[in-house]
Amino acid sequence: MSREDCLRGDWFGVGLRDGLGGETGQRLADHAEACREYGIAVDQPAYFAGREQGLADYCRLDNAFTEGLNGRQYRHVCPPAIDGQFARYHAVAYAVYEDRNELERLQSDLSGKESHLRDSKLTDKERDRLRSELRDLDRRYDHRRQDLYFHERQLDDLRREFFGYR
């Protein structure tokens, strides 16, 4: 936190933002340490009141899908009554996020190696090595694409379960 944030002293607002972001209560210790440098104390009751209000919005089960698909970790901050279901929805959405990112990375690697293969200065041995690496990347890409298909189907099933559509 900046000196201005600490001086402003809107601890309810800071807690609200942290709650909306799914932050744990430990986040207050980070804020307290930052403000201690400026000789400013935190208002714990205001912070936790704001955080609770933020968590009420964060812990909506439909938000588990959004958080996972956006690649944000779940820190098990929701009430025990919904924590398991939130975690389940989030985990599948997060798997889709990871699969998509890995496919992008693999596609980039494939493109780079294919481009490098066109270099006329390569020896036959280097070309063979690149072709072998390309085959390996192709296999990994195909496997990850299958993973993505599986996880997207799981996500669709969970959304149908939650939203009640067919």
Side-chain angles (χ1 to χ4, degrees):
M1 289 185 68
S2 70
R3 185 176 198 278
E4 291 74 29
D5 290 335
C6 294
L7 284 171
R8 190 174 308 115
D10 179 16
W11 293 107
F12 183 88
V14 172
L16 180 67
R17 279 190 303 280
D18 286 352
L20 288 169
E23 296 289 344
T24 67
Q26 182 59 37
R27 185 80 171 120
L28 178 60
D30 298 336
H31 297 317
E33 183 177 327
C35 292
R36 194 174 7 257
E37 293 178 24
Y38 309 114
I40 300 169
V42 301
D43 181 349
Q44 287 187 16
Y47 174 84
F48 283 113
R51 183 173 169 273
E52 284 303 311
Q53 186 173 324
L55 283 176
D57 194 41
Y58 175 85
C59 290
R60 292 183 344 264
L61 288 174
D62 62 315
N63 192 45
F65 298 118
T66 303
E67 290 291 301
L69 287 171
N70 286 325
R72 291 188 285 270
Q73 296 287 334
Y74 175 52
R75 295 176 187 89
H76 297 277
V77 294
C78 294
I82 65 162
D83 180 72
Q85 192 171 11
F86 192 100
R88 188 170 133 240
Y89 290 173
H90 177 274
V92 172
Y94 192 80
V96 169
Y97 165 82
E98 286 184 317
D99 291 340
R100 288 174 179 166
N101 278 351
E102 181 64 9
L103 283 171
E104 280 182 34
R105 189 191 68 72
L106 288 168
Q107 185 59 55
S108 177
D109 288 353
L110 281 164
S111 296
K113 291 201 184 294
E114 287 169 347
S115 178
H116 189 61
L117 190 59
R118 290 190 283 277
D119 184 349
S120 61
K121 297 175 185 153
L122 292 175
T123 66
D124 287 342
K125 187 174 183 172
E126 290 169 325
R127 284 184 197 291
D128 288 343
R129 180 186 51 79
L130 278 172
R131 285 185 185 109
S132 175
E133 290 174 8
L134 281 166
R135 282 189 298 275
D136 180 55
L137 283 171
D138 271 335
R139 279 190 294 276
R140 289 172 46 207
Y141 186 89
D142 287 342
H143 284 111
R144 185 56 76 142
R145 198 174 62 220
Q146 291 171 6
D147 290 345
L148 175 60
Y149 176 72
F150 173 77
H151 289 130
E152 284 178 334
R153 286 185 48 207
Q154 277 188 314
L155 182 60
D156 288 344
D157 290 345
L158 290 176
R159 284 178 166 160
R160 274 191 293 278
E161 172 186 301
F162 178 73
F163 293 108
Y165 60 83
R166 295 204 183 271

